[in-house]
Amino acid sequence: MASPVERIREFHPELKALRRDIHAHPELAFQESRTSALVAERLKGWGIDVHTGLAKTGVVGTIRGRQQGGRAIALRADMDCLPIQESNHFEHRSKHQGRMHACGHDGHTTMLLGTARYLAETRNFDGTAYLIFQPAEEGGGGGQVMVKEGLFERFPAEQVYALHNYPGLPAGTIAVRPGPVMAATDEVEIIVRGKGGHAAFAHLAVDPVVVAAHVISALQTVASRNVDPVDAVVVSVCSMQTSQLGAFNVIPDSVHMLGTVRSFKAPTRDLAERRVREIATKVAEAFGATAEVRYMRGYPATVNSPAEAQFAARVAQRVFGKDKVLTDFDPVMGGEDFSYMLLARPGAYVFLGQGGGPGACFLHNPGYDFNDEVIPLGAGYLAALVEEALPLR
């Protein structure tokens, strides 16, 4: 019997064309109407039960195996694009200004569709597979919305898995580990208010630029002096703008700063928020200024449950070979709203090597393109997760 990867290779040209069509028509968070309709149409054409409307543009396909022992597994792919102007010039480049699939969600959607077709044709499993096509991963929190709207009550999966391409790994390499794999992503806004004045009479002013500079420097001590050195945290101030632009001899009234805080552990996240607030306000006070801090919590850390991460690694070793599976690697400081699904169900978030094909620059780059050659690999791996989690008796 042909393996899932081998079977999916038979219709790889169709999947490749589909992926390129999705790439050419990218859609932003909660606006994935064309992609959602395409997904639903393909699923229905393969005889799969389809539910639409969760999180506005989400789609869930239900595939029942040859046997029905009552167990269920879920697989998830994200569908939305990024607000980036594509710089590529190939035929399937984005047809929409300021929007592109720079994170490979076109490939993720296509791989899960390949999995769907294979499972619908073979049904070599005992139970039910739910295929989740999620909107709005890029900042919209579509995963959280789907969970809040009853995803796992309507589709009661016992475990859930997601696959994300990774350009830094060779094609066909799988990376999966237990515990934290991606960080919590928080946003920080700090407004330092002083007293404006003439630059030649700085003693009559309270210079918020000097205050902001000291705040930025002091914030670096969160990582170097407040957090355990074997833990990890990032505090980055990424934008700074004064209230007075274009004048070389005017001290402004205020400085507006934006930044991000990344962490893996909940206590570290709490500590970082507390210290950011204390440092900004107390440093400003020491200079006779004030600081207003808005700390906005974003996605929680993406944390793989141990048993499911080990299972995902075993399946990958069988599909790709032991030498192609990494289980000892550092988590990354990017964020992912699949974290909300992992808070609701045990599961694992898995990286698939993108390799060095065309457009092999890193994610969120205007020159990025998904490597079509890994589509059968990812789709076959996801299918293998279903077949091995729900084996026929």
Side-chain angles (χ1 to χ4, degrees):
M1 180 184 296
S3 71
V5 172
E6 292 169 336
R7 280 286 297 269
I8 293 169
R9 285 195 195 279
E10 296 174 7
F11 49 89
H12 180 215
E14 179 183 334
L15 293 175
K16 179 177 177 180
L18 179 62
R19 201 284 299 179
R20 294 186 174 196
D21 176 73
I22 296 173
H23 185 94
H25 300 280
E27 297 172 300
L28 296 169
F30 297 118
Q31 299 174 25
E32 308 93 337
S33 55
R34 182 185 185 276
T35 307
S36 177
L38 184 153
V39 166
E41 178 186 9
R42 293 301 177 102
L43 295 178
K44 290 175 182 177
W46 297 324
I48 298 170
D49 293 338
V50 175
H51 183 282
T52 60
L54 269 180
K56 189 176 179 180
T57 50
V59 180
V60 180
T62 300
I63 306 175
R64 294 174 178 82
R66 292 185 187 181
Q67 298 173 352
Q68 280 295 298
R71 298 190 61 202
I73 183 175
L75 307 173
R76 171 268 202 180
D78 37 19
M79 301 187 292
D80 59 322
C81 74
L82 283 157
I84 294 176
Q85 180 64 39
E86 184 163 4
S87 63
N88 294 311
H89 298 288
F90 42 61
E91 186 176 350
H92 63 277
R93 67 186 179 277
S94 174
K95 298 183 183 299
H96 303 274
Q97 292 292 313
R99 303 188 337 234
M100 76 167 288
H101 274 294
C103 200
H105 297 187
D106 50 342
H108 302 165
T109 298
T110 303
M111 288 191 295
L112 191 54
L113 284 172
T115 304
R117 176 172 169 177
Y118 167 84
L119 293 175
E121 291 177 353
T122 59
R123 300 184 187 262
N124 291 326
F125 59 96
D126 176 12
T128 303
Y130 297 115
L131 309 185
I132 303 166
F133 295 86
Q134 180 211 300
E137 186 279 327
E138 297 290 358
Q144 181 185 33
V145 176
M146 293 189 88
V147 171
K148 283 185 175 181
E149 291 185 1
L151 173 66
F152 292 119
E153 287 71 34
R154 300 187 194 189
F155 309 99
E158 299 165 5
Q159 49 193 303
V160 61
Y161 297 88
L163 190 62
H164 199 293
N165 79 97
Y166 203 84
L169 294 173
T173 300
I174 289 288
V176 57
R177 53 165 283 158
V181 65
M182 297 192 80
T185 59
D186 299 336
E187 297 179 28
V188 181
E189 179 182 17
I190 301 172
I191 302 176
V192 175
R193 293 187 172 89
K195 178 182 177 184
H198 198 297
F201 299 88
H203 61 292
L204 300 178
V206 177
D207 191 343
V209 177
V210 172
V211 178
H214 280 268
V215 168
I216 293 170
S217 295
L219 287 175
Q220 306 316 304
T221 64
V222 176
S224 66
R225 290 296 180 269
N226 297 141
V227 172
D228 188 322
V230 299
D231 194 359
V233 68
V234 171
V235 180
S236 294
V237 176
C238 303
S239 172
M240 177 176 171
Q241 180 175 323
T242 71
S243 58
Q244 175 63 54
L245 299 177
F248 73 94
N249 59 351
V250 177
I251 293 173
D253 285 317
S254 64
V255 172
H256 186 197
M257 294 181 285
L258 297 174
T260 185
V261 177
R262 306 294 173 105
S263 58
F264 294 116
K265 299 178 180 179
T268 305
R269 192 182 197 186
D270 294 339
L271 171 64
E273 177 177 358
R274 176 172 60 82
R275 290 299 293 143
V276 166
R277 292 183 184 279
E278 290 173 347
I279 288 170
T281 55
K282 297 303 182 182
V283 169
E285 181 181 344
F287 283 91
T290 62
E292 175 187 345
V293 179
R294 293 181 62 239
Y295 195 101
M296 296 146 283
R297 294 209 171 191
Y299 298 163
T302 303
V303 182
N304 290 343
S305 48
E308 285 68 27
Q310 292 165 8
F311 168 73
R314 289 196 304 271
V315 174
Q317 289 170 358
R318 187 187 65 76
V319 174
F320 301 110
K322 193 171 184 179
D323 61 326
K324 296 290 185 68
V325 180
L326 304 177
T327 57
D328 183 16
F329 63 95
D330 292 330
V332 298
M333 282 293 182
E336 170 58 74
D337 75 344
F338 184 64
S339 54
Y340 293 105
M341 295 189 187
L342 289 177
L343 288 173
R345 290 293 186 276
Y349 186 80
V350 183
F351 291 117
L352 170 65
Q354 165 90 355
C361 55
F362 204 69
L363 306 170
H364 291 216
N365 185 294
Y368 170 88
D369 190 30
F370 189 87
N371 181 3
D372 290 318
E373 298 309 307
V374 305
I375 292 173
L377 306 180
Y381 172 67
L382 291 170
L385 287 173
V386 174
E387 292 181 344
E388 297 201 23
L390 307 175
L392 290 170
R393 292 167 289 174

